[in-house]
């Protein structure tokens, strides 16, 4: 089974600091990491390979330093990795990004399965996976929480939706986006890290993937970010700090009153 | 023919129109009025109840386009995407909005590629630019740390998914009139390479945190698995759902469908009451659009208090039993 895993390098967003003046992210000292939700896609690919044999290839579009994401994916068990990096790719929205990744997948050649994370934690769109499948005209499903069975020309899978789980059968080759529930990603192993260092990873630009210039980067993107602002999150609510039993009782009474005012209770 | 009109993509379950469709109608109505154009609701299903279709008009639609076929009974990507692509080609709407549900977030990205247009995910605000008539889409990004304003200036339709429960539907007005049009597409479009074999409804009580009006959540502060049942008790008292922080899920006190935050679910309930959750950026991003936030934490510096409408600094093991007791008393009264 040949599995491809498109991944994204994102800023570590748990400690994001915003510049209050410019409204942009302070990138100094922010470690770039693999999109945490992509780790589940990598893990699932590696597990499938361990079960049925085959090969797992990671690919990513990003700046040159995104090679670190590819190396980490290999350290986690991927066999190979390809970086799509070129100034022409910069500023791409999900339309242009999925186009480039789909072109790269065509160049890599026949595969059985493409696994994507549910979404990236920075852009938070979840649009690139379905976009890739659409460019490639292969079936896809989203929010997969389990690969139940690998069949001859199909997969039996479980899809997590708002009110339960769908059991689906999908023809291969196909693309799945997976949710966190699917597995526990492993940490990169020492041997894996060593292998990652020794692996030469190709870096492809537009001509390597026969990409049309008009579909690339900011120029090829139908959407435009016209403004960035920092949302005001502070609500200036009531804050009580009761000191003793009596004050605790009064605080809880005030809370119940507050809920009654809001017509919740 | 130029692109004209605002469309919303409605959703149904077992032939009944879902309320997310009504939320979209309110958004769509405001846009259509600004542009002075018709608002159309599109419904796909096997057999959709007439009352539900009429209600779409009562709640803001000028026209409802209905496509019925056994292949559309449940959501499957290909039949839905193919059908909608054909309808877009046929009618050329200038704006198409879908709900950012598991269905909307699956259909819309594929439809945007097929229709060669842009798509903005999970918007919390939509408006019309008075000068250009373009759709102005606002959405949180980077863990809710920024709000991005996005346009699709040169491609049509302009497409967006809208965060569910980020607005309240219009009240139905039975005096409103409109047309319900049943249309047909090539049956070959219903072909699907994915089959739905089975559906297991989530029987676990209080797990649908995205649809719940009240969510009671707990985090690391509960210290032990057995204490986490207090969250369930209070949720049960208020007919609410149970939420959990990432830590609580990682510790195995709650399952992943309960996880609130950026790597879990984004929710906008009427009340979000949490205890023992300090409020990481990711967690706050998942609850920011809640109507009312109540927080209980023993650390007065906890980030959660910045977004709380009502906060109590204190020991949850003292506070929660008392809250439970008083709620029970109020309920009895």
């Amino acid at each position: 089974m040949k599995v491809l895993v498109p991944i994204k390098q994102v800023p570590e967003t748990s400690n994001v600091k915003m510049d209050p003046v410019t409204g942009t992210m302070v990138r100094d000292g922010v470690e770039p990491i693999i999109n945490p939700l992509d780790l589940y896609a990598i893990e699932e690919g590696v597990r499938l390979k361990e079960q049925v044999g085959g090969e797992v290839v990671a690919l990513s579009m990003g700046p040159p330093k995104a090679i670190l994401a590819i190396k980490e994916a290999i350290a986690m068990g991927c066999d190979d990795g390809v970086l799509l990096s070129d100034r022409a790719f910069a500023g791409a929205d999900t339309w242009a990004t999925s186009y480039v990744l789909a072109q790269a997948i065509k160049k890599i050649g026949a595969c059985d399965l493409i696994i994507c994370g549910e979404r990236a934690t920075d852009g938070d769109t979840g649009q690139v996976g379905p976009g890739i499948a659409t460019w490639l005209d292969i079936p896809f499903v989203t929010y997969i929480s389990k690969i139940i069975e690998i069949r001859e020309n199909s997969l039996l899978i479980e899809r997590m939706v708002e009110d339960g789980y769908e059991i689906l059968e999908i023809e291969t080759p196909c693309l799945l986006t997976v949710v966190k529930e699917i597995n526990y990603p492993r940490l990169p192993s020492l041997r894996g890290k060593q292998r990652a260092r020794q692996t030469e990873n190709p870096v492809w630009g537009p001509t390597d993937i026969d990409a049309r210039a008009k579909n690339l980067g900011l120029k090829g993107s139908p959407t435009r970010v016209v403004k960035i602002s920092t949302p005001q999150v502070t609500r200036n609510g009531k804050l009580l700090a009761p000191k003793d039993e009596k004050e605790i009782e009064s605080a809880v009474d005030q809370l119940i009153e507050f809920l009654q005012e809001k017509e919740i209770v | 023919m130029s692109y004209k009109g605002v469309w919303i993509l409605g959703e149904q379950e077992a032939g009944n129109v879902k309320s997310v469709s009504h939320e979209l109608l309110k958004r769509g109505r405001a846009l259509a009025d600004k542009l002075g154009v018709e608002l159309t609701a599109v419904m796909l299903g096997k057999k959709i109840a007439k009352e539900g279709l009429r209600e779409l008009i009562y709640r803001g639609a000028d026209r409802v386009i209905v496509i019925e076929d056994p292949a559309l009974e449940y959501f499957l990507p290909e039949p839905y995407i193919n059908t909608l692509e054909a309808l877009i080609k046929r009618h050329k709407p200038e704006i198409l909005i879908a709900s950012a549900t598991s269905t909307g977030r699956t259909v819309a990205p594929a439809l945007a590629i097929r229709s060669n247009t842009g798509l903005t995910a999970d918007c919390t605000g939509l408006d019309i630019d008075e000068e250009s008539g373009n759709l102005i889409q606002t959405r949180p990004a980077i863990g809710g740390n920024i709000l991005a304003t996005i346009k699709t200036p040169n491609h049509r339709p302009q497409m967006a998914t809208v965060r569910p429960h980020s607005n309240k539907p219009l009240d139905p007005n039975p005096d409103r009139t409109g047309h319900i049009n049943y249309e047909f597409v090539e049956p070959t479009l219903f072909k699907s390479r994915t089959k739905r074999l089975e559906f297991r409804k989530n029987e676990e009580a209080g797990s649908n945190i995205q649809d719940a009006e009240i969510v009671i959540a707990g985090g690391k502060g509960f210290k032990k698995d057995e204490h986490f049942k207090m969250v369930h008790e209070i949720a049960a008292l208020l007919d609410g759902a149970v939420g959990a922080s990432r830590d609580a899920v990682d510790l195995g006190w709650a399952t992943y469908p309960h996880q609130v935050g950026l790597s879990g679910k984004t929710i906008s309930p009427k009340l979000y009451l949490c205890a023992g959750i300090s409020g990481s950026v990711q967690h706050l991003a998942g609850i920011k659009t809640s109507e009312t936030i109540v927080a209980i934490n023993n650390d007065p510096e906890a980030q959660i208090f910045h977004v709380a409408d009502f906060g109590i600094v204190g020991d949850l093991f003292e506070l929660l039993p008392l809250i439970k007791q008083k709620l029970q008393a109020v309920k009895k009264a």
Side-chain angles (χ1 to χ4, degrees), chain B residues 47-99:
Chain B
K47 185 92 193 107
I48 304 166
K50 280 268 169 28
E51 314 85 78
L53 297 174
R54 270 196 294 275
E55 193 181 346
L56 291 170
I57 290 171
Y58 298 161
R59 290 189 188 261
D62 300 306
R63 172 175 68 166
V64 182
I65 296 176
V66 188
I67 307 258
E68 289 184 342
D69 190 276
L72 301 173
E73 181 174 11
Y74 308 108
F75 169 67
L76 282 174
E78 285 167 293
Y80 271 63
I81 293 159
N82 293 342
T83 303
L84 290 166
E85 184 190 10
L87 288 178
I88 289 173
K89 279 199 181 126
R90 188 180 293 170
H91 295 281
K92 298 195 168 26
E94 71 185 300
I95 291 172
L96 170 61
I97 56 179
S99 191

Side-chain angles (χ1 to χ4, degrees), chain A residues 3 10 39 66 73 110 166 188 207:
Chain A
V3 182
V10 300
L39 299 177
E166 300 173 341
T207 51

Side-chain angles (χ1 to χ4, degrees), chain A residues 76 134 140 142 147 181 247:
Chain A
M76 280 178 71
T134 308
F140 77 96
T142 48
I147 296 179
E181 205 177 50
E247 280 184 29

Side-chain angles (χ1 to χ4, degrees), chain B:
Chain B
M1 188 177 137
S2 65
Y3 286 84
K4 198 171 176 188
V6 177
W7 280 22
I8 67 113
L9 175 60
E11 292 186 28
Q12 55 86 27
E13 190 182 351
N16 300 312
V17 175
K18 288 179 145 182
S19 63
V20 287
S21 323
H22 304 148
E23 295 172 17
L24 289 175
L25 282 173
K26 184 178 186 182
R27 300 264 189 190
R29 191 66 261 166
L31 301 175
D33 286 344
K34 278 206 174 168
L35 289 165
V37 297
E38 271 200 343
L39 174 62
T40 302
V42 180
M43 290 300 312
L44 275 51
K46 183 182 172 190
K47 185 92 193 107
I48 304 166
K50 280 268 169 28
E51 314 85 78
L53 297 174
R54 270 196 294 275
E55 193 181 346
L56 291 170
I57 290 171
Y58 298 161
R59 290 189 188 261
D62 300 306
R63 172 175 68 166
V64 182
I65 296 176
V66 188
I67 307 258
E68 289 184 342
D69 190 276
L72 301 173
E73 181 174 11
Y74 308 108
F75 169 67
L76 282 174
E78 285 167 293
Y80 271 63
I81 293 159
N82 293 342
T83 303
L84 290 166
E85 184 190 10
L87 288 178
I88 289 173
K89 279 199 181 126
R90 188 180 293 170
H91 295 281
K92 298 195 168 26
E94 71 185 300
I95 291 172
L96 170 61
I97 56 179
S99 191
T101 54
S102 61
T103 296
R105 291 189 85 157
T106 306
V107 170
L111 208 50
I113 302 291
R114 294 262 192 101
S115 306
N116 188 25
T117 191
L119 168 66
T120 306
D122 206 20
C123 296
T124 51
L126 293 176
D127 203 353
I128 299 292
D129 182 31
E130 284 183 10
E131 227 165 89
S132 62
N134 282 333
L135 181 66
I136 304 172
Q137 307 158 112
T138 309
R139 67 180 305 262
I142 316 184
N145 283 290
I146 62 163
L147 272 177
T149 305
I150 295 169
K151 284 187 192 171
T152 306
N154 305 316
H155 297 70
R156 293 294 179 268
Q158 304 160 83
M159 289 182 56
T161 60
V162 178
R163 183 171 294 193
H165 313 308
S166 61
N167 70 328
K168 296 271 174 288
L170 294 167
D171 287 329
N173 170 9
D175 297 332
R176 272 193 57 90
T177 55
H179 299 282
I180 298 174
N181 299 342
Y182 288 83
E183 294 198 13
F184 302 91
V185 295
E186 278 293 316
T188 50
L189 299 184
F190 299 139
K191 200 176 159 280
S192 179
R193 289 173 283 185
T194 308
K195 282 195 222 45
R196 188 184 200 257
L197 306 179
E198 203 186 310
F199 183 70
R200 283 205 331 268
K201 207 164 171 60
N202 224 330
E203 300 296 352
E204 201 188 332
S207 65
N208 191 353
I209 56 174
Q210 267 171 321
D211 281 339
E213 289 219 324
I214 294 175
V215 176
I216 313 297
K220 212 164 46 180
F222 280 80
K223 297 200 172 88
K224 273 185 186 164
D225 192 4
E226 64 245 45
H227 298 150
F228 204 78
K229 72 169 189 292
M230 284 197 279
V231 179
H232 288 266
E233 287 166 1
I234 292 182
L237 265 176
L238 294 172
D239 288 323
V242 172
S245 69
R246 183 185 171 156
D247 288 326
V249 171
D250 286 348
L251 288 162
W253 301 345
T255 55
Y256 177 56
H258 295 273
Q259 189 176 319
V260 176
L262 206 56
S263 56
K265 300 244 173 68
T266 302
I267 58 171
S268 317
K270 212 169 149 187
L271 169 68
Y272 181 71
L273 187 157
C274 65
I277 294 178
S278 61
S280 66
V281 171
Q282 281 96 334
H283 188 81
L284 298 185
I287 61 164
K288 269 175 194 166
T289 49
S290 303
E291 218 171 283
T292 301
I293 297 174
V294 174
I296 294 164
N297 202 290
N298 58 10
D299 173 10
E301 301 297 319
Q303 288 297 316
I304 192 79
F305 288 129
H306 291 295
V307 301
D309 299 286
F310 196 107
I312 304 180
V313 182
D315 182 357
L316 68 91
F317 296 105
E318 271 181 284
L319 287 160
L320 287 186
L322 199 57
I323 290 170
K324 187 181 142 193
Q325 186 196 326
K326 300 229 176 211
L327 280 175
Q328 275 167 333
V330 171
K331 266 190 112 177
K332 266 187 203 144

Side-chain angles (χ1 to χ4, degrees), chain A residues 84-251:
Chain A
L84 289 309
S85 192
D86 191 283
R87 286 174 73 169
F89 296 152
D93 70 359
T94 59
W95 190 96
T97 302
S98 58
Y99 171 73
V100 166
L101 290 167
Q103 287 299 113
I105 289 167
K106 283 183 193 165
K107 156 112 181 193
I108 291 169
C111 71
D112 303 290
L113 177 61
I114 301 165
I115 311 179
C116 300
E118 182 194 336
R119 55 195 152 86
T121 54
D122 56 350
D124 200 21
T125 72
Q127 291 174 183
V128 171
I132 293 171
T134 308
W135 284 110
L136 296 172
D137 192 24
I138 57 171
F140 77 96
V141 268
T142 48
Y143 307 107
I144 298 309
S145 47
K146 193 189 261 179
I147 296 179
I148 302 167
E149 197 183 310
I150 302 163
R151 297 180 171 175
E152 177 115 25
N153 295 306
S154 67
L155 299 172
L156 197 61
I157 50 181
E158 180 189 83
R159 177 173 189 250
M160 190 173 101
V161 293
E162 286 82 357
D163 56 346
Y165 296 88
E166 300 173 341
I167 309 296
L168 305 169
E169 185 177 11
I170 185 166
E171 288 177 21
T172 49
C174 65
L175 181 144
L176 309 178
T177 76
V178 299
V179 293
K180 214 177 151 175
E181 205 177 50
I182 198 164
N183 58 41
Y184 291 99
R186 69 194 69 189
L187 293 169
S189 67
L190 261 176
R191 255 182 62 202
K193 280 183 187 167
Q194 217 164 28
R195 217 165 44 78
R197 270 196 300 274
Q198 288 156 0
T199 312
E200 286 266 354
N201 303 104
V203 179
W204 290 344
T207 51
D208 299 303
I209 57 172
D210 293 322
R212 291 174 165 207
K214 70 174 181 68
N215 288 351
L216 301 179
L218 186 61
K219 241 175 38 197
S221 297
T223 61
R224 287 279 178 284
V225 177
V226 291
K227 202 176 90 192
I228 296 283
S229 59
T230 314
Q232 193 50 259
V233 293
T234 311
R235 293 194 181 205
N236 290 322
K238 194 174 206 173
L239 187 61
L240 305 174
K243 300 272 174 300
D244 54 40
E245 226 166 273
K246 222 173 118 194
E247 280 184 29
I248 287 172
E249 173 123 19
S250 146

